[in-house]
Amino acid sequence: MKKIIAKKSLGQNFLKDEVILEKIASSFDSTEKDLIIEIGPGMGALTKYLIKKPSELLCYEIDKRMQDILLSFNCNKVNIIFDDFLKRNIKNDLKRNYENIYIIANIPYYITTPIIEHIIDSEINITGMTLLVQKEVAERFSAKPNSKNYGYFTVLLQHYYKIESLFNVKPSAFVPSPKVMSTVVRLIKKEKVIDLDICLFKKFLKRAFSQKRKTLKNNLKEYDWQKISDVLIKNNISVNCRAEELSYEMFVLIYKTIFN
Ligand code: SAM
């Protein structure tokens, strides 16, 4: 078999630590009624653990050089698609209905946010995700208001998921070693996701965080400021606050006041 040289442009840092691989694979228990999706199986380091589970497995790999290796995993419960995950209509790739769908993956870091946004936009019901991401990005996922990592994406993720950082992974666990520390995060879908128009909510959040140094009032000029300031005052929050000071719950409250 030809030696495969890692492509930096595809975020190829292959995980070689078997203990970590096994821990990632066992982060969710799945049954034969479930599906696991792996984005970027690469040379199958994680796939070989995921395939041992009773659930079906759907993998997306952009690099066709992996074909020979990955096709050796093929069987009736495994489906490997050699394509750009971001271009796929995930719903169309599902063979049937599943009780739970989990995403378990060591994803390419350069497209972490687009991957998660693509999953959210696909509107498939994901029970949970375990993702190996850059440590700094993991900190953004679970950041608290008033911290430097808190922003649009933090609030969006909190709308859908409970977020846990499971453990850190050192660069030496990969070949080639990335320059940064990594963290395994687990996102578990909330039992009750608040019902709102997600397009309007996303637009509202993007506006609120559009210019970090500016006040909420400055960033939300296109919305009814009287209504917003009433909510802020009622909750003892300064009308001169910035978006980064507001919790997810507060954003929902303001959103509902504007749009109801
Ligand atoms: N899962 C393997 C492991 O842990 O060793 C590989 C992980 S490596 C960080 C990321 C993988 O994602 C690579 O195999 C890369 O080719 C693949 N990849 C990069 N961009 C992709 C995309 N847009 N769609 C699907 N796979 C992609």
Side-chain angles (χ1 to χ4, degrees), residues 15-76:
L15 198 47
K16 61 172 184 184
D17 186 317
E18 298 298 331
V19 175
I20 290 171
L21 285 160
E22 193 161 11
K23 267 163 87 177
I24 295 174
S26 57
S27 57
F28 284 109
D29 287 326
S30 58
T31 73
E32 59 286 345
K33 293 180 180 158
D34 300 335
L35 173 74
I36 293 175
I37 298 178
E38 185 187 5
I39 303 149
M43 291 193 258
L46 183 58
T47 322
K48 70 177 183 292
Y49 289 100
L50 297 177
I51 204 171
K52 288 186 194 156
K53 291 171 162 277
S55 40
E56 286 184 27
L57 180 62
L58 168 63
C59 301
Y60 294 93
E61 175 54 61
I62 199 169
D63 190 346
K64 295 201 172 61
R65 294 179 304 161
M66 309 298 176
Q67 248 165 0
D68 283 352
I69 302 171
L70 290 176
L71 288 176
S72 67
F73 289 107
N74 243 348
C75 65
N76 56 3

